[in-house]
Structure formats: structure tokens, C-alpha cells
Amino acid sequence: MIFRKATEEDVLVLTEISKKAFESDELIRAKASMKEGHQGSVTCGDTSCQVVGGKENDGPPGYDSYDWYKQMLSENHLFTYANENEIVGGAVLFKDESKLYVGRIFISPAFFKQGFGISLMEEIENYFSDVEKFNLDTPVWNARTNRFYHKCGYAEVSRDEESVYYEKIRKEKVFQQDLAKSKSVPVGFAAKNYKVHYEKEDKDVPPSLMIMDCSL
């Protein structure tokens, strides 16, 4: 997989992927033929169906606009995620010194539910290795994306009627900053008190191992 800055040749493809991804209400992955029923439901027969999307035709500003993505390219905010020569998805990112705001990520519906979303988030965090804090937001109604960002290690910091706001602090940065504040704090004690920065499923991991569990 390749994560890189987008090129002008990528813009049209990324716009189309974004449009399809954000307009997906229900994506069907089937082994055989399928038949789509009335709006808001799907008839699959004997095939295996999975609901993965959000509200239909309700994407963020500019999600289906070539001109908007062309502007993001000119401002160095547009990135491409590719599998060899095939573009899988993209991201719009805003860096401010040691902080990064993830404006949006999107994966082609053809690659939904295959782990590419998590892989893309990891690539973003690896690419911006000097960033200490990552922030993003997602609609309240979209249960899928809220579960996804929790799975990626983001913690909810606030919400309003429309959006849930998330934050992720790079683990080694958190540990280093706290040690700098108090060099006399034992490592085991310090690690024990960092559980707030880890995913809930890590709660049973011994502190001595947690501090080494860096997924970035």
C-alpha cells in the first residue's frame, strides 16, 4: 500500500471515490447476484449482505466536487491511498505544527470491510511522524464511523447535536511529556495512569507491556 500526496491526475478519481463513498447508504458484498429493493432496504436472496454506510446523499461539503478537491490539492491538503497502481481512497488533512486535523478520509465502496480504513489511518499517523495530537469529527448519526474511530484508538472529547469530536495523542509523546514533568515517577506507576490514552480493550494489559504497545 502507498500513501502519498495526491497529484493532479488523481483528483478526478478521488472525487468519484469520495462521491460514491459518502453517498453509500447500504453497500452489498455478495458472492452471487443481488437485487436492490426499494430505497432504504436491500433484497439479497441467498447472498451475504452487510450494511456499512451512512445517510444517503449526505456527504460533507465538497465531497462530490472536482473543484473543491482541486483546491485541496493546490493547498497541499489532498492525499492518495493506493494499492500498487489502483487508487483505493484518499484523505484531506490539515497540519498545524505538532497537530493534525483529519478533515476526512474515504475508501472506495469496492474495498469496504477489508481493513483498508484502519490501514489508511495507520499510514496517516506514520506519514506525519512528528505530529503529537490528531483530531477529527464525525456525524452523531453515523454509528459505523463512530465505532471505527474508537477502534482506531481515538477518544471522544466532546459532542454537539451534529458531531462527535475525537482526539488521539501519540502514545510515546504522552509518556515522554509526563516523564519530563516528574522524573521521579516510577515507570510502572506512570504507565498505570496512562490507561486513559489507550483503547478500552487494552485495560487488562499489564502497564509494563502497555507502554510498549505502539500501533502508530
Side-chain angles (χ1 to χ4, degrees):
M1 300 304 297
I2 301 172
F3 179 74
R4 57 174 172 79
K5 286 188 176 182
T7 65
E8 189 168 352
E9 290 73 21
D10 296 338
V11 177
L12 181 59
V13 176
L14 290 173
T15 303
E16 289 300 314
I17 291 175
S18 172
K19 185 176 186 295
K20 292 177 181 178
F22 285 112
E23 287 183 354
S24 63
D25 181 40
E26 292 178 329
L27 176 71
I28 304 307
R29 295 179 60 210
K31 295 180 180 179
S33 63
M34 62 126 181
K35 179 180 179 181
E36 185 172 349
H38 60 81
Q39 186 174 8
S41 68
V42 178
T43 302
C44 303
D46 296 329
T47 60
S48 175
C49 304
Q50 294 178 318
V51 177
V52 299
K55 289 183 177 179
E56 186 177 8
N57 301 323
D58 191 22
Y63 80 98
D64 58 351
S65 169
Y66 175 86
D67 290 338
W68 189 87
Y69 280 109
K70 187 71 175 295
Q71 180 181 345
M72 291 300 100
L73 173 72
S74 67
E75 296 176 0
N76 295 315
H77 298 312
L78 185 61
F79 291 79
T80 295
Y81 185 51
N83 183 11
E84 296 183 352
N85 295 324
E86 184 174 14
I87 296 179
V88 173
V92 178
L93 309 170
F94 302 88
K95 188 174 184 293
D96 181 15
E97 297 182 350
S98 63
K99 298 179 182 180
L100 184 78
Y101 176 69
V102 181
R104 70 185 59 165
I105 66 167
F106 47 93
I107 298 293
S108 169
F111 296 98
F112 277 178
K113 306 296 286 185
Q114 297 180 44
F116 286 104
I118 291 177
S119 177
L120 173 55
M121 293 299 290
E122 291 174 348
E123 291 287 350
I124 291 171
E125 293 169 10
N126 289 332
Y127 187 91
F128 293 95
S129 59
D130 59 330
V131 167
E132 299 177 9
K133 184 183 294 185
F134 301 85
N135 292 92
L136 57 86
D137 59 82
T138 195
V140 170
W141 53 258
N142 198 323
R144 178 178 64 89
T145 55
N146 279 279
R147 288 194 302 269
F148 172 76
Y149 290 123
H150 277 293
K151 190 174 182 179
C152 290
Y154 283 74
E156 179 181 336
V157 291
S158 65
R159 66 169 60 202
D160 53 33
E161 293 183 355
E162 296 184 352
S163 301
V164 183
Y165 301 90
Y166 288 96
E167 178 179 275
K168 183 173 184 178
I169 300 176
R170 198 179 292 274
K171 296 176 182 179
E172 59 267 33
K173 295 293 183 181
V174 174
F175 184 55
Q176 292 169 3
Q177 289 170 2
D178 241 38
L179 285 183
K181 293 178 181 178
S182 178
K183 293 183 179 180
S184 62
V185 176
V187 172
F189 176 83
K192 183 178 180 181
N193 285 276
Y194 285 134
K195 289 186 178 181
V196 66
H197 298 293
Y198 290 80
E199 295 87 340
K200 292 182 179 179
E201 58 265 29
D202 289 338
K203 63 182 179 181
D204 296 325
V205 178
S208 60
L209 295 179
M210 285 174 65
I211 207 64
M212 299 298 293
D213 183 26
C214 295
S215 62
L216 301 180

